[in-house]
Amino acid sequence: MGGLRLDSREAILAGGKTGPAIIAGDPEKSLLIQAVTHKHERLKMPPAGELKPEEISALSAWIKEGAYWPPETAKEAGPAYVITPEQRAFWSFQPVREPAPPAVKDRTWARTPADHFILAKLESQGLKAAPPASRRTLIRRASLDLTGLPPTPGEIDAFEADRSPDAFAKVVDRLLASPGYGECWGRHWLDVARYADDKLNSTQDEPYANAFRYRNWVIGAINGDMPYDVFLKAQIAGDQMPASDPLKYLPALGFFALSPEFQDERVDALSRGFLGLTVACAQCHDHKFDPIPTKDYYALQGVFASSELDEKPLAGPKVVELYSERKKAADRQEERIKRFYRQQTDLAAEMLAAQTGSYLLAARGLGQPGRLDAESLGRWKTYLSEPRKDHPYLKPWFELASRNASRSEFEKEAARLQSFVVDLVEEKRRVDHENEIRLGLDPGRADLANASLVSLPRDKYIFWRDLFAAGAKDSAGFFSTPDGIYYYGRAKIDRFLPAQAREYLKDQKAELDALKKAIPEQYPFLHTLKDGAKPADQPIAIRGDRNNKGEIAPRAFLSVLSDGAPKPFTHGSGRLDLAEAIANPDNPLTARVMVNRVWMIHFGRGIVNTPGNFGQLGERPVHPELLDYLAARFVKNGWSLKKLHREIMLTAAYQLGSQPIERNLAIDPDDALYWRFHRRRMDIETIRDSMLFVAGTLDATPAGKPVRLDDEKNHKRTVYGQISRRKTEPFLSLFDFPNPNSTSEKRIATNIPPQRLFFMNSRFVEQQAAALAARLAGEPAARITQAYRILYGRKPDAAELRLGQEFVQSSQWPQYMRVLLSSNEFLFLD
């Protein structure tokens, strides 16, 4: 506000409105030293207290020695980045090959060629695989794994009775064909897509109107087994893929159109989600570990900088035109009313300011309060009750009060302050007018950050704010300041209006109500992207500073994934070129990354256990040959996710039990080689949906607009619940739901006491327990047996039956159902 800049020697020597900040060679005469030592009568920085003596000494020595400033060298071009042969030889940059399954000693264990890779590694380490899982365990595992819902007792009975060789294959096919498959695995993808139903806004809710259309597109695409290469291309450049139906690819652009819109966020989500590389680490400097130069980051950033947010109506032109016309009419009327309120607020403040002296005297008990506004007088009294202010203008007033000065002295100071406040109003008006001229009367201009604006001096602005500014009230509770003493906004200005103005306002509001009622329901539309009118390459921001521009980075793919120098993208923004480069079967990362992600969700541990980082800092694959085998098969099978699921789930490795083997635990305690199934707690979506399912309250019909998850009437699957970037539903966070403000490579499962307390105290759990109890019929033993069959897919043993009967004799059935619902057997995937 003082016009001082400290980013160059010239700016410091020129100084701001108070003059040069330093006098080279003379620290004592330099304002900077006077301010930091608090010797200046007005400038005292930092306000909380002086700098440390050694810090002041360093500044003084620097000024005394002439205030040396190194010459600008940041923009000088350094040597071109060269990717070495050793870097290109890194495992994840090598082409995907389909290795032959290795020979194994035990020829009876393997069910598929993929099992040979698992078994060969186990045999080489002297490990023995755990026994197969029971059929009940296996069907429950597969059902929860693929659909997020447990099997019914009838489905378990049918599988246990089916002794055909392809019995489990039939179960897998049935589950893959169910709508629940897309709902479950669509949610896995939404973690990667950092999906949310609102914009990132820390102060208020700002929902997207049609975000759910992207969510439903993902679910539909996965249920329909859209080839993964097409699936990812649509999310990058769906607007440039030919289709007669706009719903085929356009909704997919929500991947980026619904993003948090951080500067580097889209490149990060793209590179980690699709390629398993941390390209965003190269925003400020060449990547420290992987062969990704800063130029590559800005080459990708240029693609998104050349794209714009767009909306694709899903209604006819006449419907869109009618809505737009009536909405604009209502918006114009609302702006007219807002402008009237602003004018009246300013006018009231100006009138009150002209009585400042009277308010000060009345607050002191020296004036007549009868002719003054009571609320404003009360505000003055509150304001004057604390002498400490962030400005100096009331200091003389408080000095008079401290020595109990005479009435005449107070009257003189009150008159002086009133004159100062009236002049302050005029000065603020001149500043605002000049800024409007500098901004071209457009405060929303894109280069606002670089505009050269003027302002009141700091102390005057603080005093003006305390008198005239609207209070800042953050609903999130981060900060809150009261309204200025003379500020009466829309909620309180009416009492200052003359009768004629109130009648005018009444008529204007009535007209606004009529215009709003005439607006039809907004037509549906898709949140999409489109190419900008003038796609352009971006300059490298030296050290991440966009004001320090380096060489231009042509829009292109990553150097390490290109054959030779990257070829510049030439089609519009370059999004389609980028999508095709990622989906290219020769790209060594795309298939590997997706296969690894699917394997990780099935087994609880990835072949590469850092699914979003296949670079130097990521973990190395424990089964590189298996990963390549599956990736090659994935591409060969038309990028079909359903075929990939089938190939993984029909392995003997997937069908293993989870029993521990002491010898194996000593050699491979983390089960990195997959000698048993990894037992783990279900994610929160599966827990909630499974409770609804067993209670008989699940509404399995797909949802459109999101439904609040804390609504007791919401029995939809959790994937259809409202997800907020501003405030995640507490019970989701409690069970490790990922932050939707960034792409999530995997969920980190925790085990903390509040999770247990949730099952003890949650109203939701209480309701489902009651509904489950109501499903049961017959004598206590029969009801307990039904509950075990529904929840666990088995009958209770004698001890469980006896304990259950004893419990319900002294308690109620809903409490007993709550105990069973909160058991590990129900909550864990075994």
Side-chain angles (χ1 to χ4, degrees):
M1 289 187 291
L4 175 63
R5 294 182 55 162
L6 300 173
D7 56 355
S8 71
R9 186 175 190 273
E10 291 73 18
I12 297 175
L13 291 172
K17 295 179 180 178
T18 54
I22 64 172
I23 306 297
D26 195 339
E28 292 185 1
K29 292 184 179 180
S30 296
L31 281 176
L32 176 63
I33 300 301
Q34 294 173 19
V36 299
T37 56
H38 287 211
K39 292 181 179 178
H40 193 277
E41 62 179 8
R42 186 171 58 84
L43 299 174
K44 301 183 187 303
M45 289 292 169
E50 298 179 24
L51 294 178
K52 297 177 181 178
E54 59 268 26
E55 293 171 333
I56 296 174
S57 176
L59 283 172
S60 299
W62 172 65
I63 295 172
K64 187 173 184 178
E65 294 171 3
Y68 171 76
W69 196 278
E72 277 286 343
T73 59
K75 294 182 180 179
E76 294 179 3
Y81 188 98
V82 176
I83 300 176
T84 67
E86 290 77 17
Q87 288 174 315
R88 289 190 180 276
F90 189 67
W91 76 267
S92 64
F93 302 135
Q94 299 306 297
V96 174
R97 308 294 183 201
E98 184 177 352
V104 294
K105 298 174 183 177
D106 183 353
R107 299 184 179 181
T108 62
W109 182 81
R111 295 174 183 266
T112 70
D115 281 323
H116 284 254
F117 297 96
I118 300 287
L119 183 57
K121 188 65 69 75
L122 293 178
E123 290 178 342
S124 69
Q125 298 296 316
L127 302 175
K128 185 176 179 62
S134 68
R135 293 173 79 84
R136 179 188 68 85
T137 299
L138 186 56
I139 188 173
R140 185 174 183 272
R141 178 188 300 171
S143 185
L144 290 167
D145 211 353
L146 282 181
T147 69
L149 297 172
T152 64
E155 290 169 342
I156 295 174
D157 292 344
F159 178 54
E160 289 186 324
D162 186 353
R163 294 295 165 174
S164 61
D166 62 344
F168 186 58
K170 288 186 288 187
V171 168
V172 171
D173 289 341
R174 173 178 60 79
L175 295 171
L176 288 172
S178 72
Y181 161 66
E183 291 168 330
C184 178
W185 281 78
R187 181 57 255 181
H188 293 315
W189 182 256
L190 295 178
D191 283 7
V192 179
R194 71 271 187 260
Y195 171 80
D197 293 295
D198 60 4
K199 298 180 181 179
L200 180 60
N201 187 326
S202 63
T203 60
Q204 64 183 15
D205 294 331
E206 193 173 357
Y208 286 111
N210 288 268
F212 69 93
R213 299 185 189 279
Y214 169 71
R215 172 247 286 158
N216 285 1
W217 178 87
V218 169
I219 293 172
I222 290 176
N223 266 332
D225 201 23
M226 178 180 287
Y228 178 67
D229 60 336
V230 178
F231 179 75
L232 71 83
K233 284 169 63 176
Q235 293 176 84
I236 302 170
D239 56 322
Q240 299 174 35
M241 297 169 65
S244 57
D245 182 359
L247 294 177
K248 187 172 183 180
Y249 299 129
L250 281 176
L253 291 167
F255 187 99
F256 291 111
L258 302 172
S259 70
E261 298 185 60
F262 295 138
Q263 180 173 317
D264 61 342
E265 191 277 331
R266 287 173 174 165
V267 172
D268 185 53
L270 173 108
S271 63
R272 289 204 290 139
F274 295 132
L275 297 169
L277 291 177
T278 55
V279 176
C281 291
Q283 179 179 352
C284 302
H285 48 71
D286 295 336
H287 201 293
K288 292 183 179 300
F289 303 98
D290 299 330
I292 305 171
T294 303
K295 187 174 182 179
D296 279 9
Y297 168 83
Y298 287 98
L300 296 183
Q301 188 68 271
V303 173
F304 295 110
S306 298
S307 305
E308 300 175 358
L309 295 176
D310 194 22
E311 294 178 1
K312 174 65 177 178
L314 298 176
K318 291 184 178 180
V319 174
V320 175
E321 184 178 355
L322 177 65
Y323 174 84
S324 300
E325 287 179 354
R326 294 187 177 180
K327 180 69 165 57
K328 287 178 182 177
D331 289 345
R332 285 195 297 269
Q333 180 66 8
E334 188 158 23
E335 178 55 37
R336 190 175 294 119
I337 294 173
K338 288 180 180 178
R339 184 170 62 248
F340 178 79
Y341 271 118
R342 288 194 298 268
Q343 292 168 346
Q344 297 304 315
T345 297
D346 292 344
L347 181 60
E350 190 168 343
M351 291 189 298
L352 292 169
Q355 297 177 287
T356 295
S358 298
Y359 280 107
L360 284 165
L361 292 172
R364 181 70 187 170
L366 300 175
Q368 299 296 324
R371 58 187 292 269
L372 301 175
D373 178 63
E375 183 173 352
S376 300
L377 179 58
R379 291 180 178 184
W380 265 114
K381 289 180 178 179
T382 301
Y383 187 65
L384 292 173
S385 65
E386 172 53 66
R388 291 177 297 181
K389 302 298 177 189
D390 292 331
H391 62 79
Y393 302 113
L394 287 175
K395 187 176 181 181
W397 181 267
F398 289 121
E399 289 176 350
L400 293 177
S402 67
R403 60 183 177 84
N404 200 21
S406 67
R407 180 188 183 98
S408 62
E409 288 179 288
F410 275 111
E411 289 175 342
K412 182 178 179 180
E413 179 59 20
R416 187 192 69 79
L417 281 169
Q418 178 172 303
S419 176
F420 180 82
V421 170
V422 171
D423 290 344
L424 181 61
V425 171
E426 290 298 322
E427 186 176 354
K428 180 64 164 62
R429 184 179 289 116
R430 289 195 298 271
V431 165
D432 291 343
H433 180 63
E434 183 172 348
N435 283 335
E436 287 179 350
I437 295 173
R438 292 184 179 217
L439 289 170
L441 302 179
D442 181 12
R445 54 186 274 188
D447 58 344
L448 180 60
N450 295 323
S452 179
L453 304 181
V454 294
S455 66
L456 289 171
R458 182 258 182 200
D459 290 344
K460 282 187 175 180
Y461 172 78
I462 296 297
F463 194 26
W464 177 89
R465 182 198 66 188
D466 291 352
L467 293 177
F468 301 105
K473 297 177 178 65
D474 180 5
S475 58
F478 293 118
F479 60 85
S480 180
T481 58
D483 289 334
I485 294 172
Y486 295 144
Y487 178 83
Y488 291 95
R490 187 166 187 156
K492 293 186 175 182
I493 193 61
D494 286 19
R495 63 189 175 85
F496 290 95
L497 301 179
Q500 188 174 3
R502 287 197 294 270
E503 284 299 315
Y504 166 80
L505 191 57
K506 180 180 177 181
D507 293 342
Q508 294 298 308
K509 288 181 176 179
E511 184 176 347
L512 176 60
D513 289 341
L515 288 170
K516 284 185 174 180
K517 289 178 181 178
I519 301 174
E521 183 179 357
Q522 187 176 17
Y523 55 86
F525 65 88
L526 302 173
H527 296 278
T528 64
L529 298 181
K530 67 177 180 180
D531 283 359
K534 297 180 179 179
D537 297 329
Q538 295 292 297
I540 294 173
I542 305 297
R543 292 192 291 274
D545 180 1
R546 291 190 171 275
N547 295 317
N548 190 7
K549 298 178 180 179
E551 66 172 305
I552 296 296
R555 285 163 289 145
F557 198 39
L558 299 177
S559 302
V560 72
L561 299 179
S562 301
D563 185 10
K567 296 178 180 179
F569 295 155
T570 57
H571 300 91
S573 65
R575 281 185 291 113
L576 183 59
D577 302 272
L578 175 60
E580 289 176 340
I582 294 175
N584 190 323
D586 293 332
N587 184 325
L589 287 169
T590 306
R592 282 182 175 133
V593 168
M594 191 57 184
V595 163
N596 183 69
R597 180 172 288 118
V598 173
W599 181 278
M600 175 191 70
I601 296 170
H602 278 308
F603 282 88
R605 180 187 179 91
I607 297 173
V608 178
N609 210 30
T610 50
N613 189 351
F614 277 42
Q616 286 283 353
L617 289 187
E619 292 190 18
R620 302 301 185 264
V622 291
H623 279 288
E625 295 83 7
L626 173 61
L627 180 60
D628 271 19
Y629 173 81
L630 291 173
R633 295 273 298 165
F634 184 39
V635 175
K636 185 181 293 185
N637 286 329
W639 300 86
S640 167
L641 283 172
K642 287 190 175 183
K643 290 180 180 178
L644 177 60
H645 287 298
R646 204 173 189 276
E647 188 149 13
I648 291 173
M649 296 177 71
L650 294 184
T651 62
Y654 179 80
Q655 299 175 46
L656 290 174
S658 58
Q659 303 94 318
I661 299 175
E662 290 301 322
R663 173 179 168 78
N664 291 4
L665 288 172
I667 300 173
D668 181 22
D670 294 331
D671 188 32
L673 300 180
Y674 307 106
W675 53 267
R676 65 168 174 164
F677 190 79
H678 183 70
R679 187 171 185 268
R680 59 193 182 276
R681 195 200 71 222
M682 301 185 300
D683 59 40
I684 183 56
E685 295 92 334
T686 306
I687 291 173
R688 179 180 177 276
D689 294 350
S690 295
M691 285 191 178
L692 291 169
F693 184 76
V694 298
T697 59
L698 178 66
D699 179 356
T701 57
K705 294 183 178 180
V707 187
R708 288 188 62 90
L709 289 168
D710 60 0
D711 183 349
E712 292 186 1
K713 297 180 181 178
N714 177 14
H715 290 168
K716 297 284 188 183
R717 294 202 63 171
T718 311
V719 69
Y720 298 116
Q722 182 175 323
I723 302 300
S724 173
R725 286 199 166 95
R726 181 166 174 256
K727 185 179 181 181
T728 305
E729 192 68 40
F731 85 92
L732 293 180
S733 300
L734 178 62
F735 288 92
D736 314 309
F737 189 84
N739 183 346
N741 291 316
S742 62
T743 184
S744 173
E745 62 177 23
K746 65 178 179 179
R747 299 194 187 184
I748 307 300
T750 61
N751 184 9
I752 54 176
Q755 293 169 352
R756 281 290 146 195
L757 294 174
F758 171 81
F759 292 102
M760 295 173 62
N761 302 312
S762 164
R763 171 70 175 159
F764 172 78
V765 177
E766 178 185 5
Q767 290 176 323
Q768 304 321 307
L772 175 58
R775 287 188 65 185
L776 310 177
E779 297 298 320
R783 297 180 73 183
I784 293 171
T785 300
Q786 290 175 49
Y788 268 75
R789 291 266 291 149
I790 292 170
L791 292 172
Y792 312 140
R794 65 176 178 86
K795 294 180 181 180
D797 60 29
E800 290 168 331
L801 186 59
R802 176 178 53 79
L803 287 170
Q805 290 175 312
E806 291 175 358
F807 187 93
V808 296
Q809 285 177 358
S810 60
S811 186
Q812 297 178 349
W813 281 96
Q815 279 76 8
Y816 180 50
M817 293 303 102
R818 183 192 286 253
V819 172
L820 298 185
L821 281 170
S822 62
S823 68
N824 282 356
E825 186 171 357
F826 180 73
L827 300 174
F828 274 67
L829 187 65
D830 201 346

